[in-house]
Amino acid sequence: MARVVVDVMLKPEILDSQGQTIARKLPQLGFDGITSVRQGKRFELEFDGPADEDAIEQVHKIAETLLANPVIETFDVRVE
């Protein structure tokens, strides 16, 4: 069994209001020195067989069509 992880993040030029809210709250909670926070999503897909080239290609197609909005988000695929 193989696990493939897809991390989805907003593109750098897109405002991340949730990340900004978290960054503003951190000093109030006693966490100093953090200047920026970006929030994202993580998806884990498990396969019956190995995470071969075909499986990775399939995950890329899934990410492009369902998991990420390519207009405002980027994604990274990796095998765990």
Side-chain angles (χ1 to χ4, degrees):
M1 182 180 301
R3 176 178 293 160
V4 179
V5 175
V6 180
D7 290 313
V8 178
M9 295 293 294
L10 287 171
K11 290 182 178 179
E13 63 270 16
I14 301 297
L15 175 67
D16 183 355
S17 58
Q18 290 177 324
Q20 288 180 339
T21 300
I22 293 167
R24 282 193 303 270
K25 189 66 176 171
L26 290 174
Q28 297 172 13
L29 297 171
F31 301 104
D32 296 321
I34 299 169
T35 58
S36 178
V37 175
R38 302 284 293 173
Q39 185 210 344
K41 301 177 279 189
R42 173 185 165 113
F43 299 92
E44 295 180 0
L45 293 85
E46 291 188 0
F47 283 84
D48 293 354
D52 57 12
E53 191 174 312
D54 290 337
I56 299 301
E57 184 178 328
Q58 183 178 7
V59 172
H60 273 273
K61 288 179 183 176
I62 292 169
E64 289 171 348
T65 58
L66 181 64
L67 304 180
N69 177 345
V71 174
I72 63 169
E73 296 174 317
T74 61
F75 65 88
D76 180 54
V77 176
R78 68 179 188 281
V79 178
E80 273 196 350

